[in-house]
Coordinates of all heavy atoms in Angstrom, one line a residue:
L172 N 2.0 8.4 10.8 CA 2.6 9.2 11.9 C 4.0 9.6 11.5 O 4.5 10.6 12.1 CB 2.7 8.3 13.1 CG 1.4 8.0 13.8 CD1 1.6 6.9 14.9 CD2 0.8 9.2 14.5
S173 N 4.7 9.0 10.6 CA 6.0 9.4 10.1 C 6.0 10.5 9.1 O 7.0 10.8 8.5 CB 6.8 8.1 9.6 OG 6.8 7.1 10.6
G174 N 4.8 10.9 8.7 CA 4.8 12.0 7.6 C 4.5 11.5 6.3 O 4.4 12.3 5.3
G175 N 4.3 10.2 6.1 CA 4.1 9.7 4.8 C 2.6 9.3 4.7 O 1.8 9.4 5.6
N176 N 2.2 8.7 3.5 CA 0.9 8.2 3.4 C 0.9 6.8 2.7 O 1.7 6.6 1.7 CB 0.0 9.1 2.4 CG -0.5 10.2 3.2 OD1 -1.2 10.1 4.2 ND2 -0.3 11.5 2.7
P177 N 0.3 5.8 3.2 CA 0.4 4.4 2.6 C -0.1 4.4 1.2 O -1.2 4.9 0.9 CB -0.4 3.5 3.6 CG -1.3 4.5 4.3 CD -0.6 5.8 4.4
A178 N 0.6 3.8 0.3 CA 0.2 3.7 -1.1 C -0.6 2.4 -1.4 O -1.2 2.2 -2.4 CB 1.5 3.7 -2.0
N179 N -0.6 1.5 -0.4 CA -1.3 0.2 -0.6 C -1.5 -0.5 0.8 O -0.8 -0.2 1.7 CB -0.6 -0.7 -1.6 CG 0.8 -1.1 -1.1 OD1 1.8 -0.4 -1.4 ND2 0.9 -2.2 -0.4
F180 N -2.3 -1.5 0.7 CA -2.4 -2.5 1.8 C -1.9 -3.8 1.1 O -2.5 -4.2 0.1 CB -3.8 -2.6 2.3 CG -4.1 -3.8 3.2 CD1 -4.1 -3.7 4.6 CD2 -4.3 -5.1 2.6 CE1 -4.3 -4.8 5.4 CE2 -4.6 -6.1 3.5 CZ -4.5 -6.0 4.8
L181 N -0.8 -4.4 1.6 CA -0.5 -5.7 0.9 C 0.0 -6.6 2.1 O 1.0 -6.4 2.8 CB 0.8 -5.4 0.0 CG 1.1 -6.5 -1.0 CD1 1.8 -6.0 -2.2 CD2 1.9 -7.7 -0.4
D182 N -0.7 -7.8 2.1 CA -0.4 -8.9 3.1 C 0.1 -10.1 2.3 O -0.6 -10.6 1.4 CB -1.8 -9.2 3.8 CG -1.6 -10.4 4.7 OD1 -0.4 -10.9 4.9 OD2 -2.6 -11.0 5.2
V183 N 1.4 -10.3 2.4 CA 2.0 -11.4 1.6 C 1.7 -12.8 2.3 O 2.1 -13.8 1.7 CB 3.5 -11.2 1.5 CG1 3.9 -10.1 0.6 CG2 4.2 -11.1 2.9
G184 N 1.2 -12.8 3.5 CA 0.8 -14.1 4.1 C 2.0 -14.7 4.8 O 3.0 -14.1 5.0
G185 N 1.8 -15.9 5.3 CA 2.8 -16.5 6.2 C 4.0 -17.1 5.5 O 5.0 -17.4 6.1
T186 N 3.9 -17.3 4.1 CA 5.0 -17.8 3.4 C 5.7 -16.8 2.5 O 5.5 -16.8 1.3 CB 4.5 -19.0 2.5 OG1 3.4 -18.5 1.7 CG2 4.0 -20.2 3.3
A187 N 6.4 -15.9 3.2 CA 7.1 -14.8 2.5 C 8.4 -15.2 1.9 O 9.4 -14.8 2.3 CB 7.3 -13.6 3.5
N188 N 8.3 -16.1 0.8 CA 9.5 -16.6 0.2 C 9.9 -15.6 -0.9 O 9.2 -14.7 -1.2 CB 9.2 -18.0 -0.4 CG 8.1 -18.0 -1.3 OD1 7.8 -17.1 -2.0 ND2 7.4 -19.2 -1.3
A189 N 11.0 -15.8 -1.6 CA 11.6 -15.0 -2.6 C 10.6 -14.7 -3.7 O 10.5 -13.6 -4.2 CB 12.9 -15.5 -3.1
E190 N 9.9 -15.8 -4.1 CA 9.0 -15.6 -5.3 C 7.8 -14.6 -5.0 O 7.6 -13.8 -5.7 CB 8.5 -17.0 -5.6 CG 7.6 -17.0 -6.9 CD 7.0 -18.4 -7.3 OE1 7.5 -19.3 -6.7 OE2 6.1 -18.4 -8.1
R191 N 7.3 -14.8 -3.8 CA 6.2 -14.0 -3.4 C 6.6 -12.5 -3.1 O 5.9 -11.5 -3.5 CB 5.5 -14.5 -2.1 CG 4.7 -15.8 -2.3 CD 4.2 -16.4 -1.0 NE 3.1 -15.6 -0.5 CZ 1.8 -15.7 -0.7 NH1 1.5 -16.5 -1.7 NH2 0.9 -15.0 -0.1
V192 N 7.8 -12.4 -2.5 CA 8.3 -11.1 -2.2 C 8.6 -10.3 -3.5 O 8.3 -9.1 -3.7 CB 9.6 -11.1 -1.4 CG1 10.3 -9.8 -1.3 CG2 9.3 -11.7 0.1
E193 N 9.2 -11.0 -4.5 CA 9.5 -10.4 -5.8 C 8.2 -9.9 -6.5 O 8.1 -8.9 -7.0 CB 10.2 -11.4 -6.7 CG 10.6 -10.8 -8.0 CD 11.3 -11.8 -8.9 OE1 11.9 -12.8 -8.5 OE2 11.3 -11.6 -10.2
K194 N 7.2 -10.8 -6.4 CA 5.9 -10.4 -7.0 C 5.3 -9.2 -6.4 O 4.8 -8.3 -7.0 CB 4.9 -11.6 -6.9 CG 3.6 -11.5 -7.7 CD 3.8 -11.5 -9.2 CE 2.6 -11.4 -9.9 NZ 2.8 -11.2 -11.4
A195 N 5.4 -9.2 -5.0 CA 4.9 -8.1 -4.2 C 5.7 -6.8 -4.6 O 5.0 -5.7 -4.8 CB 5.0 -8.3 -2.7
F196 N 6.9 -6.8 -4.7 CA 7.7 -5.7 -5.1 C 7.3 -5.1 -6.5 O 7.1 -4.0 -6.7 CB 9.2 -6.0 -5.1 CG 10.0 -5.8 -3.9 CD1 10.9 -6.8 -3.5 CD2 9.7 -4.8 -3.0 CE1 11.6 -6.7 -2.2 CE2 10.4 -4.6 -1.8 CZ 11.3 -5.5 -1.4
R197 N 7.1 -6.1 -7.4 CA 6.8 -5.7 -8.8 C 5.4 -5.0 -8.8 O 5.2 -4.1 -9.5 CB 6.8 -6.9 -9.7 CG 8.2 -7.4 -10.0 CD 8.2 -8.5 -11.0 NE 9.5 -9.1 -11.3 CZ 10.5 -8.6 -12.0 NH1 10.2 -7.4 -12.6 NH2 11.7 -9.2 -12.1
I198 N 4.5 -5.5 -8.0 CA 3.1 -4.9 -7.9 C 3.2 -3.5 -7.3 O 2.6 -2.6 -7.8 CB 2.2 -5.9 -7.2 CG1 1.8 -7.1 -8.1 CG2 0.9 -5.1 -6.8 CD1 1.1 -8.2 -7.3
I199 N 3.9 -3.4 -6.2 CA 4.0 -2.1 -5.5 C 4.7 -1.1 -6.5 O 4.2 0.1 -6.6 CB 4.9 -2.2 -4.2 CG1 4.1 -3.0 -3.2 CG2 5.2 -0.8 -3.7 CD1 4.9 -3.4 -2.0
L200 N 5.7 -1.5 -7.2 CA 6.4 -0.6 -8.1 C 5.7 -0.1 -9.3 O 6.1 0.8 -10.1 CB 7.8 -1.2 -8.6 CG 8.9 -1.3 -7.4 CD1 9.9 -2.3 -7.8 CD2 9.3 0.0 -7.0
K201 N 4.6 -0.8 -9.6 CA 3.7 -0.3 -10.7 C 3.1 1.1 -10.4 O 2.6 1.7 -11.3 CB 2.6 -1.3 -11.0 CG 3.1 -2.6 -11.7 CD 2.0 -3.5 -12.1 CE 2.5 -4.7 -12.9 NZ 1.5 -5.5 -13.4
D202 N 3.0 1.4 -9.1 CA 2.4 2.7 -8.7 C 3.5 3.7 -8.8 O 4.5 3.7 -8.1 CB 1.9 2.6 -7.3 CG 1.2 3.8 -6.8 OD1 1.2 4.9 -7.5 OD2 0.5 3.7 -5.8
E203 N 3.4 4.7 -9.7 CA 4.3 5.8 -9.9 C 4.5 6.7 -8.7 O 5.5 7.5 -8.7 CB 4.0 6.5 -11.2 CG 4.1 5.7 -12.5 CD 3.7 6.4 -13.8 OE1 3.2 7.6 -13.6 OE2 3.8 5.8 -14.8
N204 N 3.5 6.7 -7.9 CA 3.6 7.6 -6.7 C 4.4 7.1 -5.5 O 4.7 7.9 -4.7 CB 2.1 7.9 -6.2 CG 1.3 8.6 -7.3 OD1 1.7 9.5 -8.0 ND2 0.0 8.2 -7.4
V205 N 4.8 5.9 -5.6 CA 5.6 5.3 -4.6 C 7.0 5.8 -4.5 O 7.7 5.9 -5.5 CB 5.7 3.7 -4.7 CG1 6.7 3.2 -3.7 CG2 4.3 3.1 -4.4
E206 N 7.4 6.4 -3.3 CA 8.7 7.0 -3.1 C 9.5 6.2 -2.2 O 10.8 6.5 -2.1 CB 8.5 8.5 -2.5 CG 7.8 9.4 -3.4 CD 7.4 10.8 -2.7 OE1 8.1 11.1 -1.7 OE2 6.6 11.4 -3.2

């Protein structure tokens, strides 16, 4: 609705600690289309 398109579906679960968040960021950033 904001004019973008989702690049992924990512559910980090209930324990969103630094380690999981970092891993999630690294995985998302592997996609060169992410702006």
Side-chain angles (χ1 to χ4, degrees):
L172 290 169
S173 303
N176 279 305
N179 63 270
F180 168 99
L181 196 158
D182 173 12
V183 292
T186 54
N188 55 33
E190 186 183 346
R191 287 173 74 84
V192 170
E193 181 180 340
K194 188 69 178 175
F196 272 139
R197 291 188 185 278
I198 287 169
I199 291 171
L200 290 168
K201 286 186 175 184
D202 186 346
E203 295 175 358
N204 296 321
V205 170
E206 297 173 20

